[in-house]
Amino acid sequence: MDAGTHKYRMVNNLKNNARDIELDLNWLEKLIDTRILLTLKKECKYKSAFEITPHNFDADSSLYANFISHYNMNFSERLALILSLAPHVNPQLLDKFYIKNEKYDRGFTEFGGLKGIYHGGFIPTGETLIYILAGNNLELRFSLYQLFSEEHFFAKYNILKLDSTFESETQLSNALKISNEYLSFLTTGKEYKPDFSINFPAKLISTDYTWNDLILDSSTLKQIDEIKAFINHGNTLMNDWNLKLKLRPGHRSLFYGPSGTGKTMTACLLGKYTNKSVYKIDLSMVVSKYIGETEKNLSKVFEQAEHKNWILFFDEADALFGKRTKVEDAHDRYANQEVSYLLQRIEYFDGIVILASNMKSNMDDSFVRRFESVINFPMPKPEERIKIWEQGFSPACLLDKKLDLKALSNQHEISGGAIMNIIRYASLMTINKGSNTVSSKDIEEGIKKELIKEGRTV
């Protein structure tokens, strides 16, 4: 798709979504007016909110309309969706809930709602939704609780939920919150890509390299092909061949080997060539000494990643999934429970999970057995190292005639990442001298720096 076509589609998505969402906002306003009139026992043309039917959308009219059609949303589900959107797209519409109950000189309890820290308007809660739909009809109210169950598609696909951020006293007094992903998709038509934060301890990573730049052992490349095959044909395997009844969803792989051998680059390339976002979770940063915090931190990642077709790349996996702690006290026991819980999340995650470790021996054996593939990223052999040397330099530079790349490849057993650090250093020194010829002296100095960094003798 060229830039012009992409821009046209974006404009079209914005225009059509705005039109159809406005129609549903008008419907929401009628529902609120009707419910309030019924509560105040004032004259009203309707006896129930369910008499006010929403607009009958053509599923192809907008992304918003297609979303409603895709999930075959009933009256209550559609109302929940537009009510969760209202504070973001038309907050003043909900100001109607600020009317006072003259009998008690305060707001109406049944309206629910919260006052945000920064948001100036009315934030609807589960109680607000139930009130609009059912009023004081207890039987109807109880039947609507299923909208907030874990089995409902709202929760299963992380569309909307009752957010407990405010630590409300009752479940229904929690805010009705649409996820950032669906808020972005249903308004602008763009995929939401979360940033690293306390609420999402993962970073979106990518690469400008190609598969030709990845120099690996042939057996390693062959095993990577298995992951490619699952990404490309996993849906056929699970659904068309109906193996979802016998196999776990998703694919789990352990990448192990020294630093700089291509583990992160491979994860990025898998995402790049299959059009999937790759999120890197540095477990050494996420693991907390406080009981329960590690589980909470990583649960936030899994909740957002579910059903997104993302690749989750866990770096420094030994920090959490290493040899199990010998249980000596309650803290150790709880730490092991956290690991077991997170193993279950990984085991039943429907996307691609890749864990990286410097040494396979650091990992718990019972954990490793749960993986579909365990791939070794060894130090490159001399014939692989010379390819990395040869491909690493810029076409803009020349090499000192004294520089023997083959001899360097045979002499120094170093990783691809280390070689690129050396090339970077030598190239920078060359530019600093106002030259374009990389000297053997600068290469040798770069090698010394890398060996010292790794604690090896020069």
Side-chain angles (χ1 to χ4, degrees), residues 207-302:
T207 183
D208 292 327
Y209 288 116
T210 68
W211 284 117
N212 290 333
D213 297 310
L214 185 66
I215 311 298
L216 292 175
D217 180 86
S218 58
S219 63
T220 302
L221 288 170
K222 187 175 180 181
Q223 291 181 83
I224 292 169
D225 284 341
E226 180 189 345
I227 305 177
K228 290 184 194 175
F230 182 84
I231 293 174
N232 292 324
H233 307 294
N235 185 57
T236 301
L237 180 75
M238 292 298 196
N239 297 311
D240 297 352
W241 285 35
N242 204 30
L243 285 180
K244 63 184 176 183
L245 301 175
K246 300 178 181 180
L247 300 176
R248 294 174 303 174
H251 184 97
R252 287 141 290 275
S253 184
L254 172 65
F255 290 0
Y256 72 95
S259 296
T261 50
K263 299 185 290 294
T264 302
M265 183 176 171
T266 298
C268 288
L269 287 171
L270 285 169
K272 179 177 181 177
Y273 285 97
T274 58
N275 199 30
K276 294 185 184 300
S277 297
V278 182
Y279 282 92
K280 177 183 174 182
I281 303 99
D282 189 334
L283 284 172
S284 65
M285 295 176 62
V286 173
V287 172
S288 172
K289 64 182 179 179
Y290 299 107
I291 289 177
E293 284 300 308
T294 301
E295 179 180 319
K296 187 188 297 183
N297 290 340
L298 288 175
S299 289
K300 292 172 184 175
V301 175
F302 281 106

Side-chain angles (χ1 to χ4, degrees), residues 84-100:
S84 70
L85 281 169
H88 303 278
V89 298
N90 193 352
Q92 63 273 25
L93 185 152
L94 302 177
D95 287 349
K96 296 172 183 287
F97 287 117
Y98 282 130
I99 63 171
K100 268 192 175 183

Side-chain angles (χ1 to χ4, degrees), residues 100-259:
K100 268 192 175 183
N101 185 333
E102 295 178 359
K103 183 176 180 180
Y104 298 108
D105 194 30
R106 47 161 292 176
F108 284 80
T109 303
E110 54 266 52
F111 290 178
L114 290 170
K115 177 70 176 171
I117 299 173
Y118 304 109
H119 182 73
F122 181 94
I123 299 175
T125 59
E127 181 60 57
T128 311
L129 175 65
I130 299 295
Y131 164 73
I132 296 171
L133 288 166
N136 294 321
N137 184 327
L138 284 183
E139 183 180 351
L140 183 52
R141 287 174 67 91
F142 296 160
S143 71
L144 293 168
Y145 289 173
Q146 57 85 27
L147 292 171
F148 311 116
S149 73
E150 289 298 317
E151 292 75 33
H152 194 278
F153 68 83
F154 279 159
K156 189 181 290 186
Y157 298 105
N158 193 33
I159 297 170
L160 61 84
K161 64 179 181 179
L162 295 180
D163 184 21
S164 57
T165 301
F166 292 93
E167 298 183 357
S168 303
E169 289 82 0
T170 64
Q171 183 193 25
L172 288 180
S173 59
N174 287 320
L176 185 68
K177 186 176 189 306
I178 187 167
S179 69
N180 289 327
E181 290 86 353
Y182 285 101
L183 173 62
S184 178
F185 177 71
L186 294 173
T187 53
T188 67
K190 294 170 65 176
E191 180 186 356
Y192 171 79
K193 295 184 184 294
D195 294 324
F196 185 92
S197 68
I198 193 170
N199 292 316
F200 187 74
K203 184 178 181 181
L204 183 66
I205 58 174
S206 60
T207 183
D208 292 327
Y209 288 116
T210 68
W211 284 117
N212 290 333
D213 297 310
L214 185 66
I215 311 298
L216 292 175
D217 180 86
S218 58
S219 63
T220 302
L221 288 170
K222 187 175 180 181
Q223 291 181 83
I224 292 169
D225 284 341
E226 180 189 345
I227 305 177
K228 290 184 194 175
F230 182 84
I231 293 174
N232 292 324
H233 307 294
N235 185 57
T236 301
L237 180 75
M238 292 298 196
N239 297 311
D240 297 352
W241 285 35
N242 204 30
L243 285 180
K244 63 184 176 183
L245 301 175
K246 300 178 181 180
L247 300 176
R248 294 174 303 174
H251 184 97
R252 287 141 290 275
S253 184
L254 172 65
F255 290 0
Y256 72 95
S259 296

Side-chain angles (χ1 to χ4, degrees), residues 210-457:
T210 68
W211 284 117
N212 290 333
D213 297 310
L214 185 66
I215 311 298
L216 292 175
D217 180 86
S218 58
S219 63
T220 302
L221 288 170
K222 187 175 180 181
Q223 291 181 83
I224 292 169
D225 284 341
E226 180 189 345
I227 305 177
K228 290 184 194 175
F230 182 84
I231 293 174
N232 292 324
H233 307 294
N235 185 57
T236 301
L237 180 75
M238 292 298 196
N239 297 311
D240 297 352
W241 285 35
N242 204 30
L243 285 180
K244 63 184 176 183
L245 301 175
K246 300 178 181 180
L247 300 176
R248 294 174 303 174
H251 184 97
R252 287 141 290 275
S253 184
L254 172 65
F255 290 0
Y256 72 95
S259 296
T261 50
K263 299 185 290 294
T264 302
M265 183 176 171
T266 298
C268 288
L269 287 171
L270 285 169
K272 179 177 181 177
Y273 285 97
T274 58
N275 199 30
K276 294 185 184 300
S277 297
V278 182
Y279 282 92
K280 177 183 174 182
I281 303 99
D282 189 334
L283 284 172
S284 65
M285 295 176 62
V286 173
V287 172
S288 172
K289 64 182 179 179
Y290 299 107
I291 289 177
E293 284 300 308
T294 301
E295 179 180 319
K296 187 188 297 183
N297 290 340
L298 288 175
S299 289
K300 292 172 184 175
V301 175
F302 281 106
E303 284 170 10
Q304 292 210 48
E306 203 71 47
H307 309 295
K308 296 289 194 321
N309 276 328
W310 292 349
I311 295 175
L312 297 183
F313 180 72
F314 291 84
D315 199 17
E316 303 288 345
D318 328 49
L320 184 62
F321 300 106
K323 299 288 186 183
R324 297 297 183 90
T325 307
K326 182 180 178 183
V327 179
E328 295 179 350
D329 57 28
H331 192 281
D332 290 340
R333 189 177 301 111
Y334 196 92
N336 282 346
Q337 287 175 0
E338 277 192 331
V339 172
S340 296
Y341 168 77
L342 288 165
L343 285 177
Q344 289 178 7
R345 293 299 299 262
I346 286 175
E347 203 164 358
Y348 292 99
F349 177 62
D350 66 352
I352 305 296
V353 174
I354 299 171
L355 271 73
S357 170
N358 286 349
M359 294 180 66
K360 182 186 174 186
S361 58
N362 289 346
M363 306 300 291
D364 185 271
D365 292 338
S366 62
F367 168 59
V368 172
R369 286 194 294 269
R370 302 179 190 216
F371 277 58
E372 280 74 28
S373 61
V374 177
I375 304 177
N376 181 23
F377 285 72
M379 290 290 280
K381 302 183 184 73
E383 59 269 25
E384 292 156 1
R385 290 198 290 271
I386 192 168
K387 287 183 183 178
I388 300 171
W389 279 112
E390 289 173 344
Q391 293 183 14
F393 290 98
S394 166
C397 75
L398 300 174
L399 300 184
D400 187 341
K401 290 180 180 179
K402 296 178 184 178
L403 201 54
D404 187 340
L405 296 182
K406 186 174 182 181
L408 287 177
S409 303
N410 289 324
Q411 186 179 354
H412 298 288
E413 186 183 5
I414 51 180
S415 69
I419 291 173
M420 292 309 301
N421 284 341
I422 295 164
I423 290 174
R424 181 184 186 277
Y425 169 79
S427 298
L428 190 60
M429 293 301 100
T430 302
I431 295 168
N432 193 48
K433 296 171 190 173
S435 173
N436 70 336
T437 302
V438 178
S439 72
S440 57
K441 184 179 178 181
D442 285 334
I443 291 291
E444 288 168 6
E445 186 62 32
I447 291 172
K448 285 180 185 178
K449 286 167 56 70
E450 284 302 306
L451 293 177
I452 291 171
K453 193 163 66 176
E454 295 175 11
R456 295 160 66 181
T457 54

